[in-house]
Structure formats: C-alpha cells, structure tokens
Amino acid sequence: MEILKRGGNAMDAAVAAGATLGVTEPYVSAIGGGGYMTYYSAKDRKVYALDGREFGPASMKEDYFIDPATGKPLSFADAVTSGLSVGVPGTLAQWDLALHRFGTRKLGALLQPAIRTAEHGFVVDQEFYDQTATNEARFRDIVPTRELFLPGGKLPAVGSVFRNPDLANTYKQLAKHGIGWLYDGELGKEIVQTVTKPPVDPKATRVVRPGVLKTSDLAAYKALSKQPTHVSYRGYDVYGEPPSSSGGSTVGEALNILGNFRLDPRDPVTALHYYLEASKLAYADRGAYVGDPAKVKVPLDELLSQGFARERACLIKPDQAATAPVPPGSPDGQYQPCVPPGTQTRVLAAEGPQTTHLVVADKWGNVASYTVTIEQFGGSALTVPGRGFLLNNELTDFSFTPSAPGGLPDPNLPGPHKRPRSSIAPTIVLKDGLPKLALGTPGGSTIITTVLQILVNRLDLGMDLPTALAAPRATQRNTPQVFAEQAFIDRYGKALAARGHRLEVFPGPPAGVIGAATGLEFLRPGLVQAVAEPVRRGGGSALVVRPAGP
C-alpha cells in the first residue's frame, strides 16, 4: 500500500510486498528461493510471464537422489534437510528482471519497508508459531537456524515480537551492492559454503548431506521472460505460467476439457464431477509431458489445443468417475472423437504445499499475480549464517527415480542447470482485452486444482469472487482418492460418491486445508475488489488504497 500511495506501480508494489513477506513469512518466502509471476502491462495491453524458478547445479545427474550405499532413492525426509535439496535462488534475479522491464523504482528503495519490518519486528501469530513448531526438530539441529527461529532455545510465543536484524542488514547490503552480491559476490560464496558444509550442531544425530553447488552455478543463473500460456474459456482469455511450471498448461488443458460441457449453477454436483474428471486427465498429461523446456521437449501447443481437449473430454462419463490413475493422452496432433484408454501412467510426485501468493493492481491498470516460495515450510532448514534467511529445497521437486526401461520417459528427472517442474499457477484473466480477474494460491500440486476450482466457481457456478474463493475445496490429481476439505465432503460427498468418487479429508499440511488463495476482480472501470482467505491459515490480507464504501 505504501508503494502504491507513493506513486509506484503494480510491479514495484509486488516486489516490495515479496521482500516484506521474506520477513514475515520466512518459512515459505525468502531470497533463498524463487517464484513465478504473470504481469499485465496496461501500456501495451499484453500479459507477460516471468520465471524465477531455481535450477540445479551443473554436476546434477538423473541419479542425484539415489543413495550410492543402497542403490535406492533417498527418502524425502533425508533429501529435504540437506544441501542436496538447494537450488540456485532465483528470486533476486526475477526481481531485477521484473523491475528493469516493468518497474518505476530501484530495488534499494523497494526494500525499505521490508528493512523496517525486519528491524522493528512483527507480532507472532498462531500460523507463524505452528509453522515453527512443525520444523522445531530439524531447526534445532542447524545452528544458525536454531539461533534465529528458536530464540533462547524456545518456540516464539504467540503475541511476542519477532525481529530479524540479520535479514535487515542483508537487505541493506543488497540495496547497496545490487543482486550481483549474491550471483557473483560474497553472499553467493556464503550460500555455497552453507550448502556444501551445512552448519549442523555437532551433537545432532541427524544426517544432513552436503550439496554440490558451486559459485559458478550462481553466476550462470538467469531469470527468464516467457510467453504465458493462453486459453479461451466461456468468452474469457485465461493466461498462466508456462513450463517449467505446469500451472498454466494444466489449468489451461482442464479448462479446455471443461469447455466441452455445459456447467449449470443449478446442478453443482454435476459441474464438480466434470471439474474432478477434467483435473484427473490434465494431471495425467502433466506428469507425462511437462518439464523444463530448456532440457526436454514439452508439447505445449498440443497440450493446450482444442483437438486434444476434445479427445480427452470424450473419456468423461457424466455419471461415473474414471478409475484413477488414468493414463496420459497423446498430444500428437492426430485427434479422434474418442480414443481407448492407454496403459501407462506415473505416480504423483511429492511436492511441498507451502508457498505464498499475492496479487496487485494499480491506478494505471497494471496487474501482477505473483507466487514466491522456498518449497516447503522451512525449505531445506539451512539458514545462511548471519544473513537471516533460509535456503530452498526446490530440487526435491524433481523425480527421485529414473525412468524404468521401456516406460514413458520422465520429463522431470534431475539434470544440470535444469529447473524442476512446479505447479505454481499465477493467473490473469482478461475480458475484451482488459483485466477481469487475477488470482493464485500456495499449495504445491494442489495449486492447480485450487485455481481451477475458483475459476469454475466464479465463471460457471455464478459465485462472486469472495464466495468463489472461500467455498470448500477438493483436489483430484489423478489419484485413487479425491482429497477434500471436510465442508466439501459434508456438502457434496454423498452425491459425488454415488458417481464413483472416493472422497477423503486432505491430509495436509495443514490437515484439512487446501490452498490459501488471494485474488482481485475488476468490477467496473475504476473499481477493483481485493479478496483474501477469510479463514484458511488464519486468514489473508486484502487492502485497497481508496475504499469505495463500507
């Protein structure tokens, strides 16, 4: 709000807010991580996509997560709290690219609100306490992490003030030296030291494996400007994040599939059945075909083609759920009205559900939809000593097990300077060429279904945006079960079970809660509605510079 009030634009405000979230949500948002952004530029009336996803070290190979002692993949628990899980941070490079292309302020000026927040502190709420408690055991084993996030050896009490002077100083140094301090300078050397020689308490029994990151890997990193994904749906233009994220392609494919059906707000059960089945099919294709396009061939145009969507839609029965997992389709450009089911599919890979999302619009009509993350709550648990921030565990988003002989090749295997596949889906919707909606959410692989369900709620089921965002959720990611919030099961479970859906409460974390979305809608020229969660994760924040009324 401060940046907007002082004449900054949506990009300036998004960067300033992202930096401040690095202070107040350090377990999900930090300069030790990365993110994705879609941005509508009012000047040229176009949507852009900015990729700040981390990539792996140059020495990374397909067997990166195979334990040489056993020949088997490391467990997720062993891989995550280690230097192996840390990718080259992309956030600062993304901010630099974003501000050079679309901003009006220097990074140093935009870091000032975050510096003040880090110095003065913020009040610990239940969410911050719970996230710290979730990580307490592993935080205690990493000396600088314990010193920062367990002050005095204790969990920070709800209602206490948490300060981070180390991060304030880090931001000050970034304001002075620029992002080269990380990618080509001393901060980068300190990150590499932390990854290759994790600062573990000598008394700890936890095995914390060192990583293989080098300063040359940091120097090689670049944030990317890309063409966003685009599909037309019910007269709206829906733009999303392209690969290496699977968010835009999977949301877009599912919308294309749903476009073959009439969804009636008077029959929400049938609409939700189609939503779940379209999700199931799109997730099968996501797993088979989407990876880092710099390293693997991604048939993006075909995945988003109407012909492929029609071929997939013909598999959906109006009164019976398909048995999951379903096989992927063949986005080969040769589409028939219906095709028989295939035989090969892939199990849903692990992906941490902890990120944070923000949306911003300014008085000129620019819109930013931005998801920033260090992957799971607490990332790798490795804090750079004296710098006040955690490092990511994004490399655990890669598949751990190499493809079986004769099976489908896995597009998401580790590789040198490869970006792991993400589900992040910052989304912007235009109507008649002008912004209508912007939304996104944290939630790992549930991000896609959360964004998709909010769009269906808003565009098909007649809900206004606050209702669409607050409505109970379910997620179908090509798994045997449909995981859902209890309120969704209470409302729709019996009717959907009659169509063959197996509903279970979403296991989390946090248990029973899917996503934590934010969104905005242009109700008419000059009137924007800002929306955040009323309850999930303690509720979100939605503010405007000039409130229009009560």
Side-chain angles (χ1 to χ4, degrees):
M1 291 297 104
E2 177 183 327
I3 300 302
L4 293 175
K5 288 175 181 176
R6 293 185 176 184
N9 69 7
M11 184 61 80
D12 301 326
V15 170
T20 306
L21 287 168
V23 180
T24 60
E25 293 194 3
Y27 306 141
V28 297
S29 172
I31 57 172
Y36 294 95
M37 181 188 293
T38 51
Y39 189 77
Y40 174 81
S41 170
K43 181 179 180 180
D44 49 14
R45 297 181 65 166
K46 288 180 62 178
V47 178
Y48 298 85
L50 301 175
D51 181 333
R53 182 65 157 170
E54 303 87 339
F55 66 29
S59 59
M60 195 177 207
K61 299 178 181 178
E62 288 188 0
D63 62 355
Y64 186 77
F65 288 110
I66 301 297
D67 187 343
T70 65
K72 297 180 179 180
L74 294 171
S75 69
F76 181 79
D78 286 341
V80 65
T81 308
S82 77
L84 291 173
S85 70
V86 182
V88 174
T91 291
L92 286 175
Q94 185 181 32
W95 289 352
D96 186 64
L97 174 64
L99 292 175
H100 273 96
R101 292 205 63 186
F102 303 110
T104 68
R105 301 288 191 272
K106 299 291 187 181
L107 177 60
L110 299 176
L111 291 174
Q112 296 309 308
I115 291 170
R116 291 198 307 270
T117 305
E119 289 178 333
H120 298 158
F122 60 92
V123 177
V124 172
D125 61 6
Q126 189 65 47
E127 180 72 9
F128 187 87
Y129 176 90
D130 290 345
Q131 290 182 16
T132 311
T134 297
N135 285 288
E136 182 178 5
R138 63 193 195 120
F139 279 10
R140 288 194 182 280
D141 289 344
I142 312 298
V143 175
T145 307
R146 180 179 66 214
E147 292 174 348
L148 177 59
F149 295 113
L150 299 171
K154 299 179 181 179
L155 292 168
V158 175
S160 65
V161 175
F162 187 90
R163 296 179 176 86
N164 193 340
D166 285 347
L167 183 55
N169 183 59
T170 298
Y171 279 163
K172 289 177 182 178
Q173 294 301 314
L174 283 168
K176 179 179 180 181
H177 299 295
I179 69 165
W181 186 48
L182 188 150
Y183 294 104
D184 297 295
E186 183 59 33
L187 182 58
K189 294 176 183 177
E190 294 175 21
I191 289 173
V192 170
Q193 175 75 9
T194 304
V195 170
T196 56
K197 296 181 179 179
V200 184
D201 188 329
K203 299 177 182 178
T205 59
R206 184 187 306 272
V207 176
V208 181
R209 292 169 172 81
V212 295
L213 198 67
K214 296 180 179 180
T215 54
S216 56
D217 295 316
L218 273 68
Y221 184 84
K222 296 289 186 292
L224 305 173
S225 179
K226 294 184 172 182
Q227 189 78 14
T229 61
H230 170 232
V231 299
S232 296
Y233 185 71
R234 318 284 195 208
Y236 296 88
D237 291 293
V238 182
Y239 292 88
E241 194 70 38
S244 58
S245 179
S246 63
S249 64
T250 313
V251 169
E253 181 187 343
L255 288 173
N256 282 343
I257 292 170
L258 288 171
N260 289 277
F261 304 98
R262 181 173 178 269
L263 306 186
D264 191 337
R266 296 169 297 181
D267 186 6
V269 171
T270 296
L272 290 167
H273 167 73
Y274 284 126
Y275 151 70
L276 295 171
E277 293 299 279
S279 299
K280 189 182 297 179
L281 294 165
Y283 266 86
D285 299 326
R286 166 192 180 272
Y289 300 113
V290 181
D292 182 351
K295 304 295 182 179
V296 297
K297 181 175 175 58
V298 180
L300 184 61
D301 289 345
E302 295 300 331
L303 287 172
L304 293 176
S305 70
Q306 292 295 333
F308 184 59
R310 285 192 297 272
E311 189 173 85
R312 299 299 271 157
C314 77
L315 300 175
I316 298 178
K317 298 179 180 179
D319 56 356
Q320 182 63 44
T323 300
V326 299
S330 298
D332 54 9
Q334 304 295 318
Y335 303 123
Q336 304 299 322
C338 271
V339 294
T343 57
Q344 293 179 318
T345 187
R346 183 171 288 117
V347 176
L348 184 70
E351 188 173 350
Q354 297 83 14
T355 55
T356 190
H357 185 82
L358 63 94
V359 289
V360 189
D362 63 30
K363 62 185 178 182
W364 297 282
N366 302 300
V367 182
S369 184
Y370 179 31
T371 310
V372 60
T373 181
I374 61 172
E375 218 278 356
Q376 72 160 44
F377 287 141
S380 64
L382 301 179
T383 296
V384 182
R387 296 304 181 189
F389 65 91
L390 288 155
L391 293 172
N392 68 84
N393 67 291
E394 298 291 358
L395 299 187
T396 58
D397 277 354
F398 281 119
S399 302
F400 282 23
T401 306
S403 303
L408 287 171
D410 189 333
N412 192 42
L413 289 173
H417 289 178
K418 187 177 181 180
R419 287 164 157 83
R421 181 175 59 216
S422 172
S423 297
I424 288 174
T427 302
I428 292 177
V429 180
L430 306 187
K431 178 70 172 177
D432 300 325
L434 296 174
K436 178 62 178 177
L437 298 166
L439 70 151
T441 181
S445 61
T446 70
I447 289 173
I448 292 165
T449 54
T450 297
V451 168
L452 180 61
Q453 189 175 358
I454 292 171
L455 289 173
V456 169
N457 289 343
R458 177 68 190 88
L459 303 180
D460 290 301
L461 298 185
M463 301 180 192
D464 60 21
L465 186 59
T467 306
L469 195 143
R473 294 180 186 138
T475 180
Q476 170 50 271
R477 293 161 291 158
N478 199 24
T479 59
Q481 314 93 326
V482 174
F483 289 108
E485 296 174 336
Q486 186 61 54
F488 185 95
I489 295 174
D490 293 343
R491 189 177 301 180
Y492 305 113
K494 186 175 180 180
L496 288 171
R499 301 193 189 201
H501 297 281
R502 273 179 52 198
L503 279 78
E504 297 181 14
V505 175
F506 180 66
V513 177
I514 299 175
T518 54
L520 59 83
E521 178 171 354
F522 288 77
L523 299 177
R524 63 173 185 266
L527 184 63
V528 182
Q529 183 179 47
V531 183
E533 296 282 1
V535 176
R536 293 180 182 94
R537 294 197 188 180
S541 174
L543 302 170
V544 294
V545 174
R546 298 187 184 90

